[in-house]
Amino acid sequence: MADEPGVAGSAGEAAGRGPDVMGPGRLGPLRLRNRVIKAATFEGVTPDALVTQELIDYHLRPAEGGVGMTTVAYCAVSPEGRTERRQLWMRPEALPGLRRLTAAVHGTGAAVCAQLGHAGPVADGRSNKAASLAPTAGFNALSMRRNRAATAEDIDRVVRAHADAALLAAEAGFDAVEIHLGHNYLAGAFLSPRLNSRTDAFGGSLRARAAVALGVTRAVREALGDRIAITAKLNMKDGVRGGLTLDDSLQVARWLEEEGSVDALELTAGSSLLNPMYVFRGDAPVRAFAANFPFPQRLAIRAVGGRFFRTYPYRPLYLLDAARQFRAALRLPLILLGGVTDRQGMDRAMAEGFEFVAMARALLREPDLLHRIGGDASTRSLCIHCNRCMPTIYTGTHCPVIGETAS
């Protein structure tokens, strides 16, 4: 998507009512037709770790529905960086399919972003047939195996892999990349004092714990320059005792801003490893998750799943209170995520100084929601925040409520 002059996107623009969320916005070198981004949600439709028509169709739906940009998740930068073996990972073999995907999305007038990252301790080592990397060695309850502590050589390799994946994304026609620094994936796990007990150059002080995140973003910027937009997904807090705090995350965000390595931050929260519902909010679908596993594991998940899938009440813009502190401290463009489902919430985000908003579950329920909002500002999302979409990642992520008869 070619850049065009005269499209503002700075924090200062948001004085008063802020920019029109349905109007164009600039993200680094990229011009978006509006300020609504389809957030990354794992699609579950790449059985051979390559692009499929189902993956293309998945992103065509919100693109045709009017979003400014859709985000492909999760594009692992290396084989062991996948959460499990069926997940897309960036290598030359994937290039033809990626080009088909970007061309299809561009045909709708939308832009397309590739979310790049390394799952680290969230990876299923058993599925990947490779040990999961973590800041510190330890037992991984997700794979029932031990994580391997990443060596300095591993870290160098992963940093280079991010740069290589970013170049491949640009070659494939992506308009942006989003670097995953959240949810206790590898870079986010290094940020967490709870998960990182190292005493070398990658542990201890916040600056040392941030070395992986800063190294990755720096390498991607050096590889891409201003060729395409670069964003990062950063936890504001992990939502677990001893995890990354908001104050520490603010400092990391300041360092990212100072280095100029990213064009915007998408603010998130929670831990895929320890507390996933902290970012989702709403119902915790423990039984639906359990149904995806064989008999012994199913009983165990039902018995103790409530401790892992904790319940947090849903409310609109539920991450706004924490995100305001980032907006007050930074000039860097920010993307507000969490409970953005209607025009009122979008306008409030713009008025509070956020340059973009990101939507996920609401667009699974209604891919054309943005078109409907554009036609009628009073439109309300049909998403009921039941989170029953979450367990569908094993069979192709979708909203299971669609087509059900109302009770």
Side-chain angles (χ1 to χ4, degrees):
M1 308 296 290
D3 186 21
E4 294 182 9
V7 181
S10 68
E13 183 184 27
R17 287 171 45 192
D20 179 5
V21 71
M22 296 298 185
R26 178 176 290 151
L27 180 58
L30 174 63
R31 177 192 184 274
L32 297 180
R33 63 184 177 185
N34 60 51
R35 295 167 180 267
V36 181
I37 296 171
K38 165 64 175 68
T41 46
F42 181 51
E43 303 92 349
V45 290
T46 56
D48 298 316
L50 293 167
V51 172
T52 60
Q53 187 58 47
E54 290 79 9
L55 182 67
I56 295 172
D57 292 342
Y58 181 100
H59 288 282
L60 278 177
R61 288 190 285 271
E64 291 171 341
V67 298
M69 183 166 70
T70 184
T71 309
V72 179
Y74 162 80
C75 304
V77 299
S78 62
E80 88 286 348
R82 297 172 287 176
T83 57
E84 51 90 28
R85 64 178 174 79
R86 294 168 296 177
Q87 197 169 61
L88 180 67
W89 69 280
M90 302 294 275
R91 76 275 198 200
E93 185 183 0
L95 190 56
L98 293 169
R99 283 176 170 156
R100 291 196 303 273
L101 189 158
T102 59
V105 172
H106 288 157
T108 71
V112 57
C113 174
Q115 184 189 70
L116 306 178
H118 190 293
V122 180
D124 184 342
R126 179 170 48 187
S127 176
N128 290 335
K129 295 182 170 50
S132 303
L133 294 181
T136 308
F139 181 71
N140 187 331
L142 297 178
S143 64
M144 302 301 290
R145 293 188 174 190
R146 285 185 63 80
N147 295 323
R148 180 169 69 82
T151 65
E153 290 75 18
D154 288 324
I155 293 168
D156 286 343
R157 174 176 57 82
V158 169
V159 169
R160 290 196 305 272
H162 277 81
D164 291 342
L167 288 171
L168 187 72
E171 186 178 353
F174 283 92
D175 305 286
V177 292
E178 177 185 88
I179 305 167
H180 203 322
L181 306 179
H183 301 168
N184 288 163
Y185 283 41
L186 188 61
F190 269 90
L191 288 171
S192 166
R194 175 166 175 167
L195 299 175
N196 182 353
S197 59
R198 299 170 74 112
T199 57
D200 63 1
F202 300 100
S205 70
L206 177 61
R207 188 80 199 201
R209 287 185 281 117
V212 173
L214 296 174
V216 164
T217 54
R218 195 179 302 126
V220 170
R221 175 62 78 189
E222 290 173 355
L224 290 178
D226 293 326
R227 184 174 170 185
I228 62 176
I230 302 170
T231 70
K233 192 165 198 168
L234 178 68
N235 264 21
M236 294 183 286
K237 47 188 174 180
D238 289 346
V240 296
R241 182 176 298 176
L244 180 70
T245 65
L246 191 142
D247 286 343
D248 279 358
S249 180
L250 268 172
Q251 181 57 65
V252 174
R254 290 188 185 100
W255 287 331
L256 290 168
E257 179 177 72
E258 290 168 6
E259 292 198 356
S261 55
V262 298
D263 297 309
L265 287 176
E266 182 174 291
L267 301 172
T268 187
S271 169
S272 296
L273 191 66
L274 300 169
N275 191 6
M277 296 307 299
Y278 194 74
V279 68
F280 289 104
R281 311 296 168 97
D283 298 342
V286 175
R287 286 184 172 272
F289 263 110
N292 289 286
F293 292 86
F295 180 70
Q297 290 99 319
R298 188 183 313 157
L299 288 181
I301 292 171
R302 286 185 176 181
V304 302
R307 301 177 191 172
F308 181 65
F309 295 106
R310 306 172 200 172
T311 299
Y312 295 92
Y314 175 86
R315 60 183 175 86
L317 305 183
Y318 53 82
L319 293 181
L320 177 60
D321 288 344
R324 280 192 184 111
Q325 299 184 53
F326 286 75
R327 182 67 289 160
L330 304 168
R331 290 187 56 81
L332 187 67
L334 299 178
I335 304 165
L336 183 66
L337 173 74
V340 180
T341 62
D342 57 25
R343 183 63 190 258
Q344 181 181 6
M346 294 175 188
D347 288 343
R348 184 175 178 187
M350 296 295 105
E352 297 221 16
F354 296 91
E355 283 75 16
F356 299 91
V357 294
M359 304 174 70
R361 289 168 293 177
L363 293 176
L364 286 179
R365 180 67 178 86
E366 300 171 274
D368 65 343
L369 177 59
L370 198 60
H371 275 328
R372 297 203 307 112
I373 290 173
D376 180 358
S378 67
T379 296
R380 292 290 179 265
S381 167
L382 297 178
C383 179
I384 59 174
H385 321 295
C386 64
N387 292 316
R388 287 168 54 200
C389 54
M390 292 174 62
T392 70
I393 62 173
Y394 301 102
T395 55
T397 306
H398 64 281
C399 174
V401 176
I402 296 175
E404 288 186 351
T405 303
S407 59

